[in-house]
Amino acid sequence: MPPKHFSAVPLDKSYRLLNHGPTVLVSASHGGISNVMAAAWACVLDYGQTPKVTVVLDKSTFTRELLVASGEFALQLPPKALAALTVGVGTDSAREVPDKLSKHGVELFTAPGSTVPLVAGCVGWLICKWVPEPHNEQTYDLFIGEVVAAWADDRVFRDGHWQFESAPDDLRTLHHVAGGQFFAIGESVQG
């Protein structure tokens, strides 16, 4: 069941969920097995009615294997409140720690009409259909996804815009620096 503040984001505005460069959680599922990993290299590739995103997924990751098998995945935006969870699922591999999701307290749910696992507690969710590009995937570990549905926590993203200045501090998105260190998104500045 989706969380309480789970509101649809129109596809033509979904690029705004990633435009500020947050760390993401990548999830995929196949054959009844789900996994979640953290990724710092995700961005918007195209926007409009058929928006596309990119994400770098190392060849050794189990989530990549599930994505390729299922043909779909999700990108989620963890907030400050999920910093420890983000480090945990980004550090532990499901190959070595099969119970990593329960170990790190990951709660999964699905959105209506989808089977892609989504992480509860995030502030943005994008379900993507994999767009195979074998050269990019093998050479650069770069995957492309077409966004087919998007949602956001309406306490922090409303009317197509982030509202960090009026939201609880724990809902600020994470931006990875290195070694488990993040910055939470700061104040708004008009230029």
Side-chain angles (χ1 to χ4, degrees):
M1 170 166 238
K4 182 178 181 183
H5 297 281
F6 188 75
S7 295
V9 173
L11 287 181
D12 66 343
K13 301 289 188 245
S14 66
Y15 74 95
R16 293 179 180 176
L17 293 174
L18 289 176
N19 215 31
H20 65 298
T23 296
V24 298
L25 297 176
V26 183
S27 61
S29 181
H30 181 71
I33 300 169
S34 297
N35 198 41
V36 178
M37 64 175 278
W41 295 344
C43 70
V44 176
L45 176 64
D46 194 10
Y47 59 94
Q49 290 303 318
T50 55
K52 292 179 186 62
V53 296
T54 63
V55 63
V56 174
L57 303 172
D58 188 85
K59 289 170 186 62
S60 67
T61 64
F62 187 56
T63 304
R64 175 176 170 157
E65 186 179 311
L66 295 172
L67 181 162
V68 170
S70 69
E72 56 188 1
F73 63 100
L75 298 181
Q76 288 112 143
L77 286 69
K80 187 175 169 181
L82 295 185
L85 179 150
T86 301
V87 170
V89 299
T91 302
D92 286 344
S93 168
R95 293 188 201 289
E96 287 88 46
V97 184
D99 67 339
K100 87 174 202 179
L101 298 184
S102 61
K103 175 184 174 184
H104 297 292
V106 177
E107 182 184 332
L108 297 175
F109 69 95
T110 56
S114 174
T115 60
V116 177
L118 301 176
V119 178
C122 288
V123 294
W125 302 265
L126 298 101
I127 293 180
C128 304
K129 180 177 77 172
W130 174 38
V131 179
E133 289 287 345
H135 172 74
N136 289 340
E137 294 157 9
Q138 291 306 309
T139 305
Y140 307 110
D141 294 328
L142 182 69
F143 281 74
I144 298 173
E146 179 184 332
V147 179
V148 295
W151 298 269
D153 184 317
D154 56 27
R155 294 173 294 175
V156 70
F157 187 91
R158 291 182 304 282
D159 303 320
H161 296 282
W162 287 108
Q163 309 289 327
F164 292 115
E165 57 279 353
S166 62
D169 189 56
D170 273 355
L171 295 181
R172 292 180 180 273
T173 54
L174 296 173
H175 301 261
H176 188 252
V177 178
Q181 179 191 8
F182 299 93
F183 283 104
I185 190 82
E187 65 183 83
S188 175
V189 177
Q190 295 291 325

Coordinates of all heavy atoms in Angstrom, one line a residue, residues 44-90:
V44 N 18.7 13.3 -15.4 CA 17.6 13.4 -16.5 C 18.4 13.4 -17.8 O 19.4 14.0 -18.0 CB 16.9 14.7 -16.3 CG1 15.9 14.9 -17.5 CG2 16.2 14.8 -15.0
L45 N 17.8 12.6 -18.8 CA 18.4 12.5 -20.1 C 17.5 13.3 -21.1 O 17.9 14.0 -22.0 CB 18.5 11.1 -20.6 CG 19.0 10.8 -22.0 CD1 20.4 11.4 -22.2 CD2 18.9 9.3 -22.3
D46 N 16.1 13.2 -20.9 CA 15.2 13.8 -21.8 C 13.9 14.1 -20.9 O 13.6 13.4 -20.0 CB 14.9 12.9 -22.9 CG 14.1 13.5 -24.1 OD1 14.0 14.8 -24.1 OD2 13.7 12.8 -25.0
Y47 N 13.2 15.1 -21.3 CA 12.0 15.5 -20.6 C 10.9 15.7 -21.6 O 11.1 15.6 -22.8 CB 12.2 16.7 -19.7 CG 12.6 17.9 -20.4 CD1 11.7 18.9 -20.8 CD2 13.9 18.2 -20.7 CE1 12.0 20.0 -21.5 CE2 14.3 19.4 -21.3 CZ 13.4 20.3 -21.7 OH 13.8 21.4 -22.4
G48 N 9.7 15.9 -21.1 CA 8.5 16.0 -22.0 C 7.5 14.9 -21.7 O 7.5 14.3 -20.6
Q49 N 6.8 14.4 -22.7 CA 5.8 13.4 -22.5 C 6.4 12.0 -22.4 O 5.7 11.1 -21.9 CB 4.7 13.4 -23.6 CG 3.8 14.6 -23.5 CD 3.1 14.7 -22.1 OE1 2.6 13.8 -21.6 NE2 3.1 15.9 -21.5
T50 N 7.6 11.8 -22.9 CA 8.3 10.5 -22.7 C 9.7 10.8 -22.1 O 10.7 10.7 -22.8 CB 8.5 9.8 -24.1 OG1 9.1 10.7 -25.0 CG2 7.1 9.3 -24.6
P51 N 9.7 11.2 -20.8 CA 11.0 11.5 -20.2 C 11.9 10.3 -20.0 O 11.4 9.2 -19.9 CB 10.5 12.1 -18.8 CG 9.2 11.5 -18.6 CD 8.6 11.3 -19.9
K52 N 13.1 10.5 -20.0 CA 14.1 9.5 -19.9 C 15.2 9.9 -18.8 O 15.4 11.1 -18.7 CB 14.8 9.1 -21.2 CG 13.8 8.5 -22.2 CD 14.5 8.2 -23.5 CE 13.5 7.7 -24.5 NZ 12.5 8.7 -24.8
V53 N 15.7 8.9 -18.1 CA 16.7 9.1 -17.1 C 17.9 8.2 -17.4 O 17.7 7.2 -18.1 CB 16.2 8.8 -15.7 CG1 15.1 9.8 -15.4 CG2 15.6 7.4 -15.6
T54 N 19.0 8.5 -16.8 CA 20.2 7.6 -16.8 C 20.6 7.3 -15.4 O 20.4 8.1 -14.5 CB 21.3 8.2 -17.6 OG1 21.8 9.3 -17.0 CG2 21.0 8.5 -19.1
V55 N 21.2 6.1 -15.3 CA 21.8 5.7 -14.0 C 23.0 4.8 -14.2 O 22.9 3.9 -15.1 CB 20.7 5.1 -13.0 CG1 20.2 3.8 -13.6 CG2 21.3 4.9 -11.6
V56 N 24.0 4.9 -13.5 CA 25.2 4.1 -13.6 C 25.0 2.9 -12.6 O 24.9 3.1 -11.4 CB 26.5 4.8 -13.3 CG1 27.7 3.9 -13.3 CG2 26.7 5.9 -14.4
L57 N 25.1 1.7 -13.1 CA 24.9 0.5 -12.3 C 26.1 -0.5 -12.6 O 26.1 -1.1 -13.7 CB 23.6 -0.2 -12.6 CG 22.3 0.6 -12.4 CD1 21.1 -0.2 -12.9 CD2 22.2 1.0 -11.0
D58 N 27.0 -0.7 -11.7 CA 28.1 -1.5 -11.9 C 27.7 -2.9 -12.3 O 26.7 -3.4 -11.8 CB 29.0 -1.5 -10.6 CG 30.3 -2.2 -10.8 OD1 31.3 -1.6 -11.3 OD2 30.4 -3.4 -10.5
K59 N 28.6 -3.6 -13.1 CA 28.3 -4.9 -13.5 C 28.1 -5.9 -12.4 O 27.5 -6.9 -12.6 CB 29.4 -5.4 -14.5 CG 29.4 -4.7 -15.8 CD 30.7 -5.0 -16.6 CE 30.9 -4.2 -17.8 NZ 30.9 -2.8 -17.6
S60 N 28.7 -5.7 -11.3 CA 28.7 -6.6 -10.2 C 27.4 -6.5 -9.3 O 27.2 -7.4 -8.5 CB 29.9 -6.4 -9.3 OG 29.8 -5.1 -8.6
T61 N 26.6 -5.6 -9.6 CA 25.4 -5.4 -8.7 C 24.3 -6.3 -9.0 O 24.0 -6.6 -10.2 CB 24.9 -3.9 -8.7 OG1 24.4 -3.6 -10.1 CG2 26.0 -2.9 -8.3
F62 N 23.7 -6.8 -8.0 CA 22.5 -7.7 -8.1 C 21.3 -7.0 -8.6 O 20.5 -7.6 -9.4 CB 22.2 -8.4 -6.7 CG 21.2 -9.4 -6.8 CD1 21.3 -10.5 -7.6 CD2 20.1 -9.4 -6.0 CE1 20.4 -11.5 -7.7 CE2 19.1 -10.3 -6.0 CZ 19.2 -11.4 -6.8
T63 N 21.2 -5.7 -8.3 CA 20.0 -5.0 -8.8 C 20.1 -4.8 -10.3 O 19.0 -4.9 -11.0 CB 20.0 -3.6 -8.1 OG1 20.0 -3.7 -6.7 CG2 18.8 -2.8 -8.5
R64 N 21.3 -4.7 -10.8 CA 21.4 -4.6 -12.3 C 20.9 -5.9 -12.9 O 20.2 -5.9 -14.0 CB 22.9 -4.4 -12.7 CG 23.2 -4.4 -14.1 CD 24.6 -4.0 -14.4 NE 25.0 -4.3 -15.8 CZ 26.0 -3.7 -16.4 NH1 26.7 -2.8 -15.7 NH2 26.3 -4.0 -17.6
E65 N 21.3 -7.0 -12.3 CA 20.8 -8.3 -12.8 C 19.3 -8.4 -12.8 O 18.7 -8.9 -13.8 CB 21.4 -9.4 -12.0 CG 21.2 -10.8 -12.4 CD 21.9 -11.8 -11.5 OE1 23.1 -11.6 -11.2 OE2 21.2 -12.8 -11.1
L66 N 18.7 -8.0 -11.8 CA 17.2 -8.0 -11.7 C 16.6 -7.1 -12.7 O 15.6 -7.4 -13.3 CB 16.7 -7.6 -10.3 CG 17.1 -8.6 -9.1 CD1 16.8 -8.0 -7.8 CD2 16.5 -9.9 -9.3
L67 N 17.2 -5.9 -12.9 CA 16.7 -4.9 -13.9 C 16.7 -5.5 -15.3 O 15.7 -5.5 -16.0 CB 17.5 -3.7 -13.9 CG 17.2 -2.5 -14.8 CD1 17.9 -1.3 -14.3 CD2 17.6 -2.7 -16.2
V68 N 17.8 -6.2 -15.6 CA 17.9 -6.7 -17.0 C 16.9 -7.9 -17.2 O 16.3 -8.0 -18.2 CB 19.4 -7.2 -17.2 CG1 19.5 -8.0 -18.5 CG2 20.3 -6.0 -17.3
A69 N 16.7 -8.7 -16.1 CA 15.8 -9.8 -16.2 C 14.3 -9.3 -16.3 O 13.5 -9.9 -17.0 CB 16.0 -10.7 -15.0
S70 N 14.0 -8.3 -15.6 CA 12.6 -7.8 -15.6 C 12.3 -6.7 -16.6 O 11.1 -6.6 -17.0 CB 12.3 -7.2 -14.2 OG 13.0 -6.0 -14.0
G71 N 13.3 -6.0 -17.0 CA 13.0 -4.9 -18.0 C 12.5 -3.6 -17.4 O 12.1 -2.7 -18.1
E72 N 12.5 -3.5 -16.1 CA 12.0 -2.3 -15.4 C 12.7 -2.1 -14.1 O 13.3 -3.0 -13.5 CB 10.5 -2.4 -15.2 CG 10.0 -3.6 -14.4 CD 8.5 -3.7 -14.4 OE1 7.8 -2.9 -15.0 OE2 8.0 -4.7 -13.8
F73 N 12.6 -0.9 -13.6 CA 13.3 -0.5 -12.4 C 12.7 0.8 -11.8 O 11.9 1.4 -12.5 CB 14.8 -0.3 -12.5 CG 15.2 0.8 -13.5 CD1 15.6 2.0 -13.0 CD2 15.2 0.6 -14.8 CE1 16.0 3.0 -13.8 CE2 15.6 1.6 -15.7 CZ 16.0 2.8 -15.2
A74 N 13.0 1.1 -10.6 CA 12.6 2.4 -10.1 C 13.8 3.2 -9.5 O 14.7 2.6 -9.0 CB 11.6 2.2 -8.9
L75 N 13.7 4.5 -9.6 CA 14.6 5.4 -9.0 C 13.8 6.1 -7.9 O 12.7 6.6 -8.1 CB 15.2 6.5 -9.9 CG 16.0 5.9 -11.1 CD1 16.5 7.1 -12.0 CD2 17.1 5.1 -10.7
Q76 N 14.4 6.2 -6.7 CA 13.7 6.8 -5.6 C 14.6 7.8 -4.9 O 15.9 7.6 -4.9 CB 13.3 5.8 -4.5 CG 12.2 4.9 -4.9 CD 12.6 3.5 -5.2 OE1 11.8 2.6 -4.9 NE2 13.8 3.2 -5.7
L77 N 14.1 8.9 -4.3 CA 14.9 9.9 -3.7 C 14.8 9.8 -2.2 O 13.8 10.1 -1.6 CB 14.4 11.3 -4.1 CG 14.7 11.7 -5.6 CD1 14.0 10.8 -6.6 CD2 14.5 13.1 -5.8
P78 N 15.9 9.3 -1.6 CA 15.8 9.2 -0.1 C 16.1 10.5 0.5 O 17.0 11.3 0.0 CB 17.0 8.2 0.2 CG 17.9 8.4 -1.0 CD 17.1 8.7 -2.2
P79 N 15.4 10.8 1.6 CA 15.7 12.1 2.3 C 16.7 11.9 3.4 O 17.1 10.8 3.7 CB 14.3 12.5 2.8 CG 13.7 11.1 3.2 CD 14.2 10.2 2.1
K80 N 17.0 13.0 4.1 CA 17.9 13.0 5.2 C 17.6 11.9 6.2 O 18.5 11.3 6.8 CB 17.9 14.4 5.8 CG 18.8 14.7 6.9 CD 18.7 16.1 7.3 CE 19.5 16.4 8.6 NZ 19.3 17.9 8.9
A81 N 16.3 11.7 6.5 CA 15.9 10.7 7.4 C 16.3 9.3 7.0 O 16.4 8.4 7.9 CB 14.3 10.7 7.6
L82 N 16.6 9.0 5.8 CA 17.0 7.7 5.3 C 18.5 7.6 5.0 O 19.0 6.7 4.3 CB 16.2 7.3 4.1 CG 14.7 7.0 4.3 CD1 14.1 6.5 3.0 CD2 14.4 6.1 5.4
A83 N 19.3 8.5 5.6 CA 20.8 8.5 5.3 C 21.4 7.2 5.6 O 22.2 6.6 4.8 CB 21.5 9.7 6.0
A84 N 21.2 6.7 6.8 CA 21.8 5.4 7.3 C 21.3 4.2 6.4 O 22.1 3.4 6.0 CB 21.5 5.1 8.7
L85 N 20.1 4.2 6.0 CA 19.5 3.2 5.2 C 20.2 3.2 3.8 O 20.6 2.2 3.2 CB 18.0 3.3 5.0 CG 17.3 2.3 4.1 CD1 15.9 2.2 4.6 CD2 17.3 2.8 2.7
T86 N 20.4 4.4 3.3 CA 21.0 4.6 2.0 C 22.5 4.1 2.0 O 22.9 3.4 1.0 CB 21.0 6.1 1.6 OG1 19.6 6.5 1.5 CG2 21.6 6.4 0.2
V87 N 23.2 4.4 3.0 CA 24.6 3.9 3.1 C 24.6 2.4 3.2 O 25.4 1.7 2.6 CB 25.3 4.6 4.3 CG1 26.7 3.9 4.6 CG2 25.5 6.0 4.1
G88 N 23.7 1.9 4.0 CA 23.6 0.4 4.2 C 23.3 -0.3 2.9 O 24.0 -1.3 2.6
V89 N 22.3 0.1 2.2 CA 22.0 -0.7 0.9 C 23.0 -0.4 -0.2 O 23.1 -1.1 -1.1 CB 20.5 -0.4 0.4 CG1 19.5 -0.9 1.5 CG2 20.3 1.0 0.0
G90 N 23.7 0.7 0.0 CA 24.8 1.0 -1.0 C 26.1 0.3 -0.7 O 26.9 0.2 -1.5

